[in-house]
């Protein structure tokens, strides 16, 4: 899976979770408001019916008839009135009896003055109602059909909005991630043009302070190290070609001389000693070239020891004159009588 797709899915998922939590919170808050509002309406309905009953403004039979008739069409409030000693004075529908009052409930209402509770899908309230110096216990219960219908519609709306919002979020995140990753695609295209023959090419750095600028700089530093390594490799091959030519030429020349005419045993022995000396020189040369190859990336593996520069120059002069007898080499030491050897002694590799 590409980073673009992975980031799009991650961002969409995170925002979708936040979106879902917000919608859930909206639903829960709406349910809480509906519940509190309906409890308030229950109390108002209960107080109205109790007031009419206790003032004898409406006959109990008529109130019960109205309740039973309305119940077929609307979610009518069922009200009951009790005395403090659990004597029922009025009940809208004793046969139905949603609340099912008992002495313990009456005692709880007397103690707390007012209670709110659920009975299945019904909401119910119980409260103390004082009237003309007397204390009455009133209960009321009903089902908030209108409120639950509105809540269900809200739930459907939130679900539809969630899926529509999720789709819009995915599309938006896709284009945002694509725009964010565009500089990376450009860096990739630039990097694909860099080859061994174009190792000196570098990636453009548009902004050194952002992460992509740091990435380009790090890649350019890597290319710098690779270029140095490639150049060192070329130099090493050149040095090998140059350094191996001289001892091989000496070997070939010595063997050609031996084959041109018969020689004495002493002459052959001398020739073999020269060949052996050149072979040892080649062995030493190979070791030196390997040390030269290590000089760029494994400096700690190069063998170092104390070297006197005057002795090194004399040995070098002898090697050169052996390969080129026609040369004239003169060494000049300005301080021949210097007693302090540290002046001409250094730490290094004598061959290199």
């Amino acid at each position: 899976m590409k980073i673009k797709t992975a980031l799009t899915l991650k961002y969409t998922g995170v925002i979708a979770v936040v979106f879902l939590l917000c919608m859930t919170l909206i639903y829960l808050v709406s349910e809480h408001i509906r519940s509190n509002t309906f409890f308030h309406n229950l109390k108002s309905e209960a107080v109205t019916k109790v007031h009419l009953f206790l003032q004898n403004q409406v006959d109990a039979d008529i109130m019960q008839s109205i309740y039973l008739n309305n119940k077929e069409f609307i979610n009518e409030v069922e009200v009951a009135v009790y005395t403090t000693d659990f004597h029922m004075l009025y009940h809208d529908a004793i046969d139905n009896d949603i609340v099912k009052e008992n002495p313990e409930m009456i005692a709880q209402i007397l103690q707390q003055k007012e209670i709110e509770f659920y009975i299945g899908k019904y909401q119910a309230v119980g409260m103390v109602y004082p009237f003309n110096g007397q204390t009455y216990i009133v209960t009321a219960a009903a089902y908030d059909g209108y409120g639950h219908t509105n809540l269900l519609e809200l739930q459907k709306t939130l679900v539809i909005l969630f899926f529509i919002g999720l789709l819009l979020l995915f599309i938006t995140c896709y284009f945002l991630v694509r725009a964010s990753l565009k500089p990376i695609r450009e860096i990739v295209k630039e990097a694909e043009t860099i080859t061994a023959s174009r190792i000196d090419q570098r990636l453009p750095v548009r902004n050194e302070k952002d992460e992509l600028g740091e990435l380009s700089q790090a890649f350019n530093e890597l290319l710098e190290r690779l270029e140095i390594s490639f150049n060192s490799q070329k130099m090493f091959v050149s040095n090998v070609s140059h350094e191996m030519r001289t001892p091989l030429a000496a070997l070939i020349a010595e063997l050609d001389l031996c084959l041109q005419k018969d020689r004495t045993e002493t002459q052959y022995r001398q020739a073999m000693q020269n060949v052996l000396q050149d072979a040892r020189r080649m062995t030493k040369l190979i070791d030196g070239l390997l040390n030269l190859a290590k000089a760029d990336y494994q400096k700690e593996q190069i063998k170092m020891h104390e070297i006197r520069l005057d002795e090194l120059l004399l040995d070098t002069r002898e090697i050169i004159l052996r390969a080129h007898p026609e040369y004239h080499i003169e060494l000049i030491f300005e301080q021949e009588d210097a007693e302090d050897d540290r002046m001409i002694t250094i730490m290094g590799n004598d061959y290199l």
Side-chain angles (χ1 to χ4, degrees):
M1 182 183 295
K2 288 190 175 182
I3 295 178
K4 177 174 64 177
T5 305
L7 287 178
T8 301
L9 292 176
K10 287 179 181 179
Y11 290 159
T12 303
V14 170
I15 300 175
V17 170
V18 176
F19 195 29
L20 181 61
L21 290 176
C22 291
M23 289 190 167
T24 303
L25 182 61
I26 292 173
Y27 179 81
L28 293 177
V29 170
S30 299
E31 163 61 17
H32 180 71
I33 293 173
R34 181 210 63 78
S35 177
N36 289 343
T37 302
F38 194 66
F39 276 127
H40 178 74
N41 293 336
L42 273 178
K43 296 173 189 176
S44 299
E45 289 281 342
V47 168
T48 301
K49 279 192 175 184
V50 171
H51 192 73
L52 291 174
F53 171 74
L54 294 177
Q55 284 189 338
N56 294 319
Q57 294 181 3
V58 180
D59 185 69
D61 293 334
I62 296 175
M63 290 176 61
Q64 289 176 342
S65 176
I66 293 173
Y67 169 78
L68 294 173
N69 291 331
N70 288 344
K71 189 180 178 185
E72 300 295 328
F73 308 101
I74 62 175
N75 297 306
E76 184 65 64
V77 179
E78 180 184 295
V79 177
V81 183
Y82 288 82
T83 61
T84 55
D85 57 354
F86 192 51
H87 174 67
M88 185 179 68
L89 299 177
Y90 172 79
H91 202 299
D92 276 328
I94 189 63
D95 296 332
N96 188 33
D97 194 13
I98 299 173
V99 178
K100 294 179 174 58
E101 298 84 353
N102 53 48
E104 289 77 13
M105 181 183 295
I106 299 300
Q108 182 183 4
I109 296 172
L110 280 172
Q111 182 182 2
Q112 298 182 12
K113 304 302 180 183
E114 186 176 297
I115 62 173
E116 298 174 351
F117 54 97
Y118 277 86
I119 303 173
K121 64 179 182 177
Y122 293 93
Q123 289 179 241
V125 295
M127 58 185 178
V128 175
Y129 184 75
F131 184 81
N132 290 338
Q134 297 292 324
T135 300
Y136 300 93
I137 305 299
V138 179
T139 63
Y143 173 70
D144 186 13
Y146 178 76
H148 282 288
T149 300
N150 289 339
L151 201 62
L152 182 60
E153 292 299 322
L154 175 63
Q155 183 180 4
K156 293 178 180 178
T157 303
L158 290 176
V159 170
I160 294 172
L161 286 176
F162 175 75
F163 285 107
I164 294 175
L166 192 64
L167 179 61
L168 294 176
L169 280 174
F170 180 82
I171 296 172
T172 303
C173 289
Y174 176 81
F175 284 105
L176 286 176
V177 171
R178 184 178 180 182
S180 300
L181 296 179
K182 183 178 180 181
I184 297 180
R185 292 198 300 271
E186 294 176 355
I187 291 175
V188 171
K189 290 181 180 179
E190 291 285 345
E192 288 175 347
T193 62
I194 299 175
T195 60
S197 59
R198 302 178 61 186
I199 196 65
D200 58 334
Q201 186 176 345
R202 297 293 181 266
L203 295 178
V205 180
R206 293 178 174 82
N207 186 358
E208 297 179 357
K209 296 182 179 180
D210 63 10
E211 288 78 1
L212 294 179
E214 292 175 356
L215 176 64
S216 298
Q217 286 182 324
F219 194 81
N220 288 339
E221 291 173 1
L222 172 63
L223 289 175
E224 190 74 26
R225 293 192 294 271
L226 287 175
E227 185 178 8
I228 293 173
S229 178
F230 286 168
N231 291 336
S232 299
Q233 187 179 28
K234 291 179 182 179
M235 186 181 298
F236 175 73
V237 173
S238 176
N239 287 331
V240 168
S241 302
H242 176 74
E243 295 292 338
M244 294 290 285
R245 188 180 293 111
T246 300
L248 284 175
L251 277 172
I252 293 172
E254 195 70 39
L255 292 174
D256 282 341
L257 287 175
C258 291
L259 293 174
Q260 283 179 2
K261 59 181 180 179
D262 293 334
R263 291 173 176 257
T264 63
E265 181 180 350
T266 302
Q267 290 174 330
Y268 276 117
R269 185 177 294 275
Q270 182 64 38
M272 293 299 291
Q273 287 179 351
N274 293 337
V275 171
L276 180 60
Q277 186 177 5
D278 289 334
R280 286 173 177 170
R281 278 191 59 213
M282 287 193 64
T283 301
K284 194 174 182 181
L285 172 63
I286 292 172
D287 291 338
L289 290 173
L290 291 176
N291 283 327
L292 183 63
K294 296 176 183 177
D296 285 322
Y297 59 93
Q298 290 180 331
K299 295 181 176 65
E300 68 280 357
Q301 294 191 13
I302 298 177
K303 297 178 181 179
M304 308 286 279
H305 55 272
E306 291 187 353
I307 301 172
R308 285 178 58 99
L309 291 178
D310 56 347
E311 294 178 357
L312 181 64
L313 289 172
L314 290 170
D315 291 342
T316 305
R317 179 178 181 274
E318 181 183 352
I319 293 172
I320 295 175
L321 289 177
R322 189 184 305 129
H324 303 280
E326 71 278 8
Y327 285 6
H328 175 72
I329 301 174
E330 182 179 358
L331 300 178
I332 301 174
F333 299 95
E334 295 183 355
Q335 298 180 2
E336 294 183 6
D337 299 330
E339 295 181 359
D340 192 357
D341 292 341
R342 291 178 300 176
M343 297 293 295
I344 56 174
T345 302
I346 62 170
M347 290 296 298
N349 182 285
D350 56 352
Y351 187 83
L352 293 180

